[in-house]
Amino acid sequence: MLAVAEAVIAAEPLLTDADRAIGDGDHGIGMRRGFLGVQEKLKAETPETPGAVLKVTGMALLSKTGGAAGAVFGSFFRAGGLALGDAEEIDAEGFRAFLAAGRDTVMKRGGAAEGDKTMLDALAGALSACAEAQDLRGALAAAAEGARQGAEATKTMVARFGKAKTLGERAIGHPDPGALSLAIMLQAWHESADHG
């Protein structure tokens, strides 16, 4: 998760530019602030299970990120942490449970669905891609690629939520910043597991 935090913090200019094109331009700044909070929390505490790490991450994002992104990503990680329970390790099945619980919570909380030009498009791509993976590394690799493709696909969509909704078809050609954020997170998780 520290590698994920580093990747999101480093991507702040990219996320800010993406949000400037179709939103308020503050997504990258908020995500950077949120993941600096995640780093701080994870260095101060020592969560004992993967689920606990995800819950700490979610709480830090909820309290530090601000705006819709804080609510969405904070809820996503918290729900995923709850889904893992007290399991001492995360395997492919646990990883899928984390993604699915996060998806269900975000959909319930915000009312968005796949195809609405949100982070759910990257998440749907990730879940679909890792459905058959047998081990965690395979699941992470597949999910990272699926999320990348899902984020890329948001370029062709008309937004149904957030500031971008007011742009109508003018939002076409630009990726959703939340979808980009999720793709960056899953790519960093995959790379850290690969090199860890």
Side-chain angles (χ1 to χ4, degrees), residues 76-163:
F76 170 70
F77 280 106
R78 254 191 103 241
L82 290 167
L84 289 178
D86 295 327
E88 292 187 11
E89 290 187 353
I90 182 168
D91 56 12
E93 194 177 323
F95 178 67
R96 284 189 287 269
F98 150 57
L99 293 179
R103 174 200 61 201
D104 294 348
T105 297
V106 169
M107 286 174 76
K108 190 174 172 185
R109 182 168 189 147
E114 185 181 351
D116 286 342
K117 197 178 181 100
T118 71
M119 63 87 80
L120 288 168
D121 295 300
L123 187 48
L127 264 165
S128 172
C130 74
E132 304 298 323
Q134 298 299 304
D135 60 27
L136 181 59
R137 283 191 179 195
L140 288 169
E145 178 56 20
R148 187 194 67 74
Q149 290 179 15
E152 184 67 19
T154 64
K155 288 181 179 178
T156 66
M157 298 173 187
V158 173
R160 294 197 181 95
F161 287 84
K163 178 93 175 178

Side-chain angles (χ1 to χ4, degrees), residues 156-181:
T156 66
M157 298 173 187
V158 173
R160 294 197 181 95
F161 287 84
K163 178 93 175 178
K165 179 182 175 183
T166 62
L167 296 176
E169 294 195 353
R170 285 177 295 156
I172 293 175
H174 301 284
D176 175 69
L180 266 183
S181 293

Side-chain angles (χ1 to χ4, degrees), residues 21-74:
I22 62 170
D24 293 330
D26 61 353
H27 181 76
I29 295 159
M31 294 300 281
R32 180 178 189 276
R33 191 171 52 235
F35 275 96
L36 283 169
V38 169
Q39 283 182 330
E40 198 179 299
K41 277 282 191 195
L42 290 176
K43 287 174 182 173
E45 300 176 24
T46 313
E48 293 187 4
T49 62
V53 170
L54 294 175
K55 282 190 269 187
V56 167
T57 298
M59 291 309 294
L61 292 175
L62 278 166
S63 67
K64 300 280 186 186
T65 307
V72 167
F73 284 101

